[in-house]
């Protein structure tokens, strides 16, 4: 069965500093991996996804994520955090050719402090 | 394009009442899904549909019904509301790409309170 873990409920970082939001996954086959962001009282917005190829994926708003197959991780990163990045971040996985079902992690709340 | 729309935005129900949460998309997407979001649990799949006339159960289907008579609409019905169904409900849609690599697009959510 597929599963996703986000080991940190909350991440605090100062504005201008680099940020990392961690995600590890478990699938029996090849994974498709996604990051979504949720701002208060809004739906989820797509940030980036890993399908195949280069392990470093670049997405919206300056975010990037690195796929590490040996560590089964897909950590979200940004070189310089903005206060406006403060939101709830979800990692999701879908197994290749598994059909419709995405599995989401529990979410990590990012707070960027001015 | 309006994308994925959901109505209502907020609803209060009494235990035992029934209601329908509406979801519509104008992107001609084959896949549509319903999730519920609870604190600390991420999003859990309730029901999904791979096309008009085809639906299937997700992780937490009990107490909910769906139907898909058109490509655009995917309503979620609560048969007899219970306090455990207090949650935020999200509808999502995606086109069908090879192997499941498509991105899901989410609606703004419906916040449901069951008293």
């Amino acid at each position: 069965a597929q599963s996703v873990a986000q080991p940190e409920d909350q991440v605090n970082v100062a504005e201008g500093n680099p940020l990392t939001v961690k995600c590890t996954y478990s699938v029996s086959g090849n994974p498709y991996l996604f990051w979504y962001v949720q701002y208060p009282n809004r739906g989820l917005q797509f940030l980036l996804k890993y399908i195949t190829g280069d392990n470093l994926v670049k997405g919206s708003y300056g975010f990037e994520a690195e796929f590490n197959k040996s560590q089964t991780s897909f950590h979200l990163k940004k070189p310089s955090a903005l206060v406006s990045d403060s939101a709830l971040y979800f990692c999701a996985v879908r197994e290749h050719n598994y059909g419709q079902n995405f599995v989401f992690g529990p979410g990590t709340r990012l707070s960027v402090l001015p | 394009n309006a994308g994925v729309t959901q109505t209502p935005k907020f609803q209060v129900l009494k235990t035992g009442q029934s209601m329908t949460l509406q979801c519509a998309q104008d992107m001609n997407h084959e896949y549509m899904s319903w999730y519920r979001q609870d604190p600390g649990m991420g999003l859990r799949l309730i029901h999904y549909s791979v096309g008009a006339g085809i639906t299937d159960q997700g992780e937490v289907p009990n107490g909910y019904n769906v139907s898909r008579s058109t490509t655009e609409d995917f309503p979620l019905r609560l048969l007899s509301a219970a306090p455990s169904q207090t949650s935020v409900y999200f509808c999502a849609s995606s086109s069908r790409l090879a192997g499941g690599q498509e991105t899901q697009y989410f609606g703004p959510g419906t916040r449901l309170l069951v008293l």
Side-chain angles (χ1 to χ4, degrees):
Chain A
Q2 305 167 103
S3 66
V4 177
Q6 293 180 243
E8 300 157 318
D9 294 336
Q10 174 95 29
V11 171
N12 297 321
V13 64
E15 187 175 29
N17 283 1
L19 70 87
T20 299
V21 182
K22 295 180 180 178
C23 172
T24 58
Y25 66 91
S26 175
V27 296
S28 56
N30 292 322
Y32 292 146
L33 295 155
F34 301 77
W35 275 102
Y36 286 85
V37 59
Q38 184 182 32
Y39 298 102
N41 300 313
R42 302 285 295 275
L44 276 69
Q45 297 178 30
F46 169 75
L47 276 180
L48 52 81
K49 65 182 178 182
Y50 171 81
I51 302 300
T52 187
D54 194 345
N55 288 344
L56 185 63
V57 179
K58 295 187 182 296
S60 306
Y61 314 122
F63 284 94
E64 58 189 27
E66 185 168 11
F67 170 62
N68 187 318
K69 188 172 184 177
S70 63
Q71 297 186 3
T72 61
S73 66
F74 190 56
H75 301 332
L76 181 70
K77 300 181 180 182
K78 188 174 183 181
S80 179
L82 300 173
V83 173
S84 57
D85 293 330
S86 299
L88 189 57
Y89 290 80
F90 291 97
C91 182
V93 67
R94 172 193 265 179
E95 187 175 347
H96 178 67
N97 282 331
Y98 190 66
Q100 171 67 348
N101 293 352
F102 286 77
V103 174
F104 284 83
T108 297
R109 187 165 300 280
L110 173 68
S111 292
V112 181
L113 308 174
Chain B
N1 286 350
V4 180
T5 58
Q6 292 183 238
T7 56
K9 291 185 178 180
F10 181 71
Q11 183 72 45
V12 179
L13 291 178
K14 295 181 180 179
T15 296
Q17 287 184 314
S18 62
M19 80 159 293
T20 299
L21 280 63
Q22 301 291 345
C23 174
Q25 52 92 10
D26 60 0
M27 297 174 281
N28 202 33
H29 285 167
E30 297 93 339
Y31 287 146
M32 296 187 74
S33 308
W34 276 102
Y35 295 88
R36 58 178 290 172
Q37 182 182 24
D38 301 295
M41 302 188 73
L43 275 73
R44 291 183 291 170
L45 183 65
I46 303 171
H47 285 285
Y48 65 97
S49 169
V50 299
I54 306 170
T55 63
D56 206 346
Q57 297 181 351
E59 179 185 357
V60 288
N62 292 342
Y64 307 95
N65 272 357
V66 293
S67 59
R68 183 100 179 267
S69 56
T70 67
T71 298
E72 294 79 17
D73 301 300
F74 191 44
L76 177 72
R77 281 181 285 277
L78 278 70
L79 309 172
S80 177
S84 60
Q85 294 178 304
T86 294
S87 188
V88 181
Y89 291 85
F90 289 101
C91 180
S93 74
S94 59
S95 60
R96 187 170 184 176
L97 298 177
Q101 60 183 285
E102 65 270 19
T103 298
Q104 284 195 318
Y105 295 88
F106 285 82
T110 294
R111 191 173 297 271
L112 178 66
L113 175 62
V114 182
L115 302 175

